[in-house]
Amino acid sequence: MKLSAGQKQRILERYQIQIVPKDKQVNRLENRLSLRLDINRQNQCVQVQLALYTNKQPLISVELVDSITGLHGYQVNNMAGDLNIVQEQWRGVVRVVKAMYRCFIESDAELIDVYSLEWVDGAYAVWGIEIDIDERASYRQSQLVDEPVESLPALQYIELGGQVGCIANGAGLCMAMIDAIYHFGAEAKLAPSCFLEIEDDRLLEILERALELVSFNPKTSVVMVYLFSMWYPITSIAEHFIAGLQGIEKPVIVILEGQDESMAQDIIHNARLRNVSVAHTLTEAVGLAVRKVSV
Amino acid sequence: MSIILSLPPMVIVQGITGRFGHYFTKVMLDYGTDIVGGVTPGKGGEWFLGKPVFDTMKRAVESTGANTSLVAVPPEFASDAIFEAINAGIKSIICITEHMPLHDTMRVIRYARQNGVSLLGPNSSGICLPNRTLIGMIPPYVSAQGNIGIVSKSGTLLHQVAHLLTKVGMGQSALVSIGGGSLVGTSLVSVLQAFEDDINTERVVVIGEIGGREELDVSNYARNEMTKPIVGMIVGHRLPKGYRFGHGGAMVGGLGTSAEEKEDEWTKAGIRIAHLPEDIPKLLTHID
């Protein structure tokens, strides 16, 4: 979640970090000090990078900070030393890096990127800042966010531009469907129109909305659905699937997998819905989709 | 499998009276998992599903001798639950909580490593040693006992591939879900190492996806250390850059994070590539 200019200003004020006045913001590649804090996923720690861009090779200093023990003063001194920071600006660098680190931790940031740190009136000020906050932590960052934060939605929808809508109750499963479409549908120039994942524990509640969302997309000409039983019996899923198809006329291909999958498939067959076909594998589902698209 | 799971596991469910804890404790008890109790602060002294409930992990471990914890609490409480489990002396933690804040995840992974504790997840669907134990959300019907080890980032794909194998009579030694987040406690390679050392595992299936660079570590391990044959599948081909596809870590970004690049690396490392789940049984048969 990227912060707006106003949000960034508020957060910087809280950590007493000055912003470079607009008339002094000079966009230059050389003689520029920059700072970047992000999460080093390989080492599960915060990576702090201070860099000085000169007309020669840039000087870059990186410290990995253990998130349990936090940033130590000596680590900032190491970076200032690596970049040959002059004596009168040394304390200023230490202060601004420590403040930015506190800001990074306390605001649950995934990234803080400062394009330029400028020495203004005896202190370092910043400009060209990007701050990205972890959405999963927005419930405890309400002071940063202008709108009240709602809980994360139980479905995720991404437009992809093709003609086959893909719905599954699992991200991996939905990606496997998309792979199958590209793999077996290449000759027929089949491509996914969207990716829609439903969180499994809210599948029955959300399924109807998901079917609507995908089938009402004008680019979608066929809908492929993969429903796997985990929380709910596959027969209940089949019943909700049929109920959710009200008003949908586009062809729908469904794979139902679970302990009593043949009973679930019977439920679909017995509903005698003309636009719905049951497939048993991804290969079969894509084969059906190719036929429906070419009709 | 002792690298990733204390054996035999004696399990405490943290959040046993919550929605997830309640549902999956019932499933695990039916499977025969040795659940020795649960923790819900404020409900200590009660009994739930025939198991004692404790206020704290310290009391739960002292009273039951538990060595394993299933963390089934909402994301805002998950890091606290994991710290508590580690400090109470638990050695294996399986965290099924989804949407855990990144900074919390980073801290608990660090703390678990510093304390020699195995942490599966967050956002893991669990671990199953068929006919022995099941800890987490893996549906019991998908697995059958055998000699194939499966490890996956995605929970649903783990279930689907196991079910496919079960349906064609190919049983499994273990099903392990490491979680689809960008930060997870146990890596794909750690699980491969466990499979390499496990006498019950003869062949291995690894399921990766777009995002992160962990699959590249798998290539190195497969090339240099692994003697058992591996079938691999990466999902998310041709997906656009910069979007998160469901899992926190499933995003094509920098070099080496696309499905195509990962698949190339795996092929070079001698891993047999399945393009779809239904290719896996056939490939496993041919690598015998």
Side-chain angles (χ1 to χ4, degrees), chain A residues 143-161:
Chain A
Q143 75 283 15
L144 284 179
V145 184
D146 300 325
E147 299 285 317
V149 179
E150 287 179 23
S151 59
L152 290 167
L155 62 79
Q156 195 200 5
Y157 177 81
I158 299 172
E159 293 250 6
L160 294 170

Side-chain angles (χ1 to χ4, degrees), chain A residues 225-252:
Chain A
V225 188
Y226 203 137
L227 299 169
F228 197 99
S229 160
M230 196 164 80
W231 267 89
Y232 303 105
I234 195 66
T235 45
S236 302
I237 297 174
E239 280 157 8
H240 277 77
F241 171 74
I242 291 169
L245 287 171
Q246 300 291 327
I248 294 172
E249 287 171 7
K250 288 180 182 171
V252 180

Side-chain angles (χ1 to χ4, degrees), chain A residues 11-29:
Chain A
I11 194 171
L12 292 175
E13 274 168 12
R14 194 193 311 160
Y15 292 93
Q16 296 175 325
I17 299 166
Q18 301 297 317
I19 298 175
V20 177
K22 277 235 157 95
D23 58 323
K24 291 188 178 166
Q25 293 179 2
V26 183
N27 201 346
R28 59 175 187 266
L29 294 175

Side-chain angles (χ1 to χ4, degrees), chain B residues 112-129:
Chain B
R113 291 203 179 155
Q114 285 167 2
N115 287 277
V117 172
S118 154
L119 169 64
L120 266 182
N123 195 18
S124 163
S125 79
I127 181 167
C128 174
L129 310 181

Side-chain angles (χ1 to χ4, degrees), chain A residues 181-193:
Chain A
I181 290 167
Y182 281 130
H183 193 72
F184 292 111
E187 213 170 296
K189 295 194 175 151
L190 226 55
S193 64

